[in-house]
Every structure is written in structure tokens, then in C-alpha cells.
Amino acid sequence: MSSIAVNTAVPETPEALSGELKSHTAAAHAAAEESSFVAELMGGKLDSAALVSLLDQSLVIYRALESALAKHVDHRQLGAFIDPRLARVSALEKDMAYHHGADWEAKLADGRIVIVPATAAYAETLTALGSESIEFLLAHHYVRYMGDLSGGLIISRMVQRHYGIADEGLNFYAFDAIAKPKLYKDAYRELLDTSNFSRAQKDAILKFAAESFELNRAVFVDLAVARGEAMAA
């Protein structure tokens, strides 16, 4: 009889990447959502101008993100995640025209539409790292688009109730090409879990995802500061 012991225990299955992302970003996610600007906006304590300011920042961020993503549509790993149905720039441009008028591009260019420093820094980071890191881009893709799909309809309804903004000014939160967001998110998580990412890649994705919430939180902080300064002026 062989003296070699046979290990009959079932090997532990590594946690799926989608589950790791959820748990790894939980604290940063909560900190971003609990920022005073977001809490007050969602609680109906601000005004429609605050929501418009948030849309303004979103346009700059998504232009940088989607420009970076466009360079990787054929990438063997990232390409499968890049879906035009998720794209937000066109929707945000419609919102800009609704809230700021037909000359909104000129207003953005000359500073009449205020972009806070944290937004500019976020966009610069997306442009710089998006050209060299697939893991960075996937992390931001996950945090932003899955967050939009999860909370977009809720946010839209809340701001409509609080501030009376029409649907025509809230295109950012509408995903007309995705009929069933839950099924889409389920398929997205399955793609995360079945894509052939190495452990080093997964660790990088987790790191960048947590950091993305901090970049978002910095935008909220700057928006609160800018609002306070505007009211004091």
C-alpha cells in the first residue's frame, strides 16, 4: 500500500471577479455615496442647478472615458465589454443642449459652464492611464456603467420628484437600448467571471476600481465647495 496520503478535500474555488469587485469597493462606494453633495442632492435639499452641475462634470468624464475605450474595441479582453448601448456622451450632449442652450459647447470652452478641478484631474487620469492600462479602463468601465445602470432610473425619478426636471433633461440616466438592465448586469458579471484575467490583472482591476470611487468622491467634494462659494458671492 502506498504511504502517500491522498487529499480528498474539494479544492477551494477562488472568488469570482465580480464578487471580489463588489466586496473590495464596498467601503469606497459607501464613502462616495455618503458625500454631503450627493446626500443633499438626492434628499431634495439642493436645486436643479446642482443636478445640472453634476451632469456638466459627467460630460467631461465620459468624453475622456469613451475616447480612451474607443482605442481598444478590438482588444482580446477589454473589447468584449465595450458596448455602444452603454455609451453616455451622446445622451449627455442632449442634456447639455437642454439645460444650457444650443451654444453650450462655447460656454463649456470659455468657462461659463464650470468644471471643478477634481473633474479635470479625473479626465486627465482617464486619458493618461487609459492609453496604457487595460485593467485601469475595465475598472472604470465597471464602476461607472454598472453604477449608471443600477442607479440611473432611481436617480432620475428622485430628481424629477424633487426638482421637476423633465425627461428631456435627464437623458444621461436613460438606457433606451437596454430593455432589461438586470439581465444586462447579470451578463456583464458573467463576462467578468469568465474572462481569462490573470491574478495580477485581477488585483490591478480591484485596485483601480476602488480608486475610481475616490476620484468620484473628489468631484462631489469640489462640487460642494463650488456651490458654497457661489452662494457666498
Side-chain angles (χ1 to χ4, degrees), residues 16-17 25 55 65 73 88-89 112 120 131 141 147 149 161 187 194:
L17 179 56
T25 61
L55 293 173
L65 175 60
V73 291
R88 296 291 84 201
V89 169
R112 282 176 287 168
S131 64
H141 190 282
L149 269 179
R161 182 170 71 247
T194 56

Side-chain angles (χ1 to χ4, degrees), residues 5 17 19-20 30 48 55 60 63 89 91 117 155-156 164 168 178 196 199 214:
L17 179 56
E20 286 188 278
S48 60
L55 293 173
V60 173
R63 276 183 164 177
V89 169
I155 293 171
S156 181
E168 291 80 2
I178 299 177
N196 187 29
R199 183 66 255 174
E214 289 303 307

Side-chain angles (χ1 to χ4, degrees), residues 52-57 59-60 95-97 99-101 103-116:
V52 173
S53 292
L54 182 57
L55 293 173
D56 297 342
Q57 314 311 307
L59 174 70
V60 173
D95 290 338
M96 298 291 280
H99 293 291
H100 296 293
D103 62 342
W104 66 267
E105 278 280 19
K107 293 176 180 176
L108 182 63
D110 66 19
R112 282 176 287 168
I113 294 175
V114 176
I115 301 303
V116 299

Side-chain angles (χ1 to χ4, degrees), residues 69-129:
L69 288 168
K71 299 173 183 178
H72 300 284
V73 291
D74 296 323
H75 189 273
R76 62 183 181 83
Q77 292 176 310
L78 182 60
F81 293 89
I82 302 173
D83 184 347
R85 291 178 293 173
L86 290 172
R88 296 291 84 201
V89 169
S90 177
L92 281 161
E93 289 175 343
K94 292 177 183 177
D95 290 338
M96 298 291 280
Y98 179 86
H99 293 291
H100 296 293
D103 62 342
W104 66 267
E105 278 280 19
K107 293 176 180 176
L108 182 63
D110 66 19
R112 282 176 287 168
I113 294 175
V114 176
I115 301 303
V116 299
T119 296
Y122 190 173
E124 289 172 5
T125 301
L126 285 166
T127 299
L129 291 184

Side-chain angles (χ1 to χ4, degrees), residues 27-218:
H29 190 176
E33 288 191 335
E34 291 168 4
S35 68
S36 62
F37 180 85
V38 173
E40 291 177 5
L41 182 65
M42 294 299 104
K45 297 179 180 179
L46 301 182
D47 52 29
S48 60
L51 187 278
V52 173
S53 292
L54 182 57
L55 293 173
D56 297 342
Q57 314 311 307
S58 297
L59 174 70
V60 173
I61 292 166
Y62 277 89
R63 276 183 164 177
L65 175 60
E66 292 178 10
S67 177
L69 288 168
K71 299 173 183 178
H72 300 284
V73 291
D74 296 323
H75 189 273
R76 62 183 181 83
Q77 292 176 310
L78 182 60
F81 293 89
I82 302 173
D83 184 347
R85 291 178 293 173
L86 290 172
R88 296 291 84 201
V89 169
S90 177
L92 281 161
E93 289 175 343
K94 292 177 183 177
D95 290 338
M96 298 291 280
Y98 179 86
H99 293 291
H100 296 293
D103 62 342
W104 66 267
E105 278 280 19
K107 293 176 180 176
L108 182 63
D110 66 19
R112 282 176 287 168
I113 294 175
V114 176
I115 301 303
V116 299
T119 296
Y122 190 173
E124 289 172 5
T125 301
L126 285 166
T127 299
L129 291 184
S131 64
E132 61 186 47
S133 173
I134 296 303
E135 296 79 19
F136 171 86
L137 272 182
L138 179 57
H140 285 264
H141 190 282
Y142 164 80
V143 168
R144 297 218 64 96
Y145 292 120
M146 291 303 99
D148 296 336
L149 269 179
S150 296
L153 183 59
I154 296 171
I155 293 171
S156 181
R157 287 174 176 171
M158 290 179 72
V159 298
Q160 282 183 315
R161 182 170 71 247
H162 292 318
Y163 310 118
I165 301 174
D167 289 338
E168 291 80 2
L170 296 170
N171 293 283
F172 173 59
Y173 300 108
F175 288 82
D176 296 334
I178 299 177
K180 297 181 178 180
K182 183 183 184 303
L183 293 181
Y184 190 97
K185 290 185 292 181
D186 288 344
Y188 187 102
R189 284 189 286 266
E190 182 178 359
L191 183 58
L192 280 173
D193 297 340
T194 56
S195 294
N196 187 29
F197 295 113
S198 68
R199 183 66 255 174
Q201 284 184 300
K202 290 179 180 179
D203 289 342
I205 292 167
L206 295 175
K207 170 181 174 290
F208 287 131
E211 290 176 355
S212 75
F213 281 108
E214 289 303 307
L215 289 169
N216 279 297
R217 191 182 68 81

